[in-house]
Amino acid sequence: MFFDHIDVISPLLIPILALLIPIVAILAHYLGKAHSERQRHETIRELARAGQPIPPELLADVQDSDVHRARRDQANPNRILVPALINIGVGLGLMGMFATMMPGAWLWSIGLLPLFIGVGLALYWAVERKQQSPQP
């Protein structure tokens, strides 16, 4: 009964699995991170409850992550430029690939989406850079 419809489902399995792999990897990363943070806080809580001194290494990890987060969140005008250039390159690459694969077809226009996203990000980068430049 199920195998009667396998011809309909099989072409969709590869794209579905291809999309699920990065989702599962991201979830595993964040779940592992949350688990280690939970263990660290539980250890600190147990040491405090027992009246033991808390090793500086445990607190340094928490403080270092706060420092890295603050440093990462600082306004860097070039943080938008790299994704802009990547999107422009991907868009041009897709347009070239589809135009070569099927000349005269509309498929080349698929590359317009990442291309325009990249152009939009590049324009945003240019405006942001102008606004952050020191005014005399």
Side-chain angles (χ1 to χ4, degrees):
M1 181 173 13
F2 174 74
F3 295 108
D4 295 338
H5 302 292
I6 198 72
D7 292 336
V8 176
I9 296 172
S10 63
L12 299 175
L13 287 179
I14 291 175
I16 289 171
L17 289 176
L19 291 173
L20 284 178
I21 289 171
I23 292 171
V24 168
I26 291 169
L27 283 174
H29 170 74
Y30 282 113
L31 288 175
K33 198 174 193 181
H35 178 71
S36 67
E37 286 292 319
R38 195 175 316 116
Q39 291 289 21
R40 180 185 352 264
H41 289 292
E42 183 65 30
T43 302
I44 291 171
R45 216 176 289 123
E46 288 296 321
L47 288 172
R49 202 175 289 140
Q52 298 293 322
I54 299 171
E57 297 85 28
L58 284 177
L59 295 177
D61 287 342
V62 174
Q63 291 168 348
D64 285 345
S65 67
D66 290 341
V67 169
H68 289 304
R69 188 177 304 119
R71 197 175 300 147
R72 183 188 67 217
D73 291 343
Q74 282 179 341
N76 179 5
N78 293 328
R79 73 186 183 285
I80 302 295
L81 186 59
V82 172
L85 294 175
I86 289 172
N87 274 301
I88 290 171
V90 167
L92 291 173
L94 284 173
M95 289 170 68
M97 180 186 74
F98 284 126
T100 305
M101 283 175 50
M102 298 187 76
W106 59 271
L107 285 176
W108 64 270
S109 62
I110 292 173
L112 290 174
L113 184 64
L115 177 71
F116 284 138
I117 290 172
V119 169
L121 286 171
L123 289 173
Y124 175 73
W125 170 78
V127 169
E128 185 83 12
R129 191 180 66 167
K130 264 191 181 160
Q131 287 179 350
Q132 288 185 354
S133 65
Q135 300 294 330

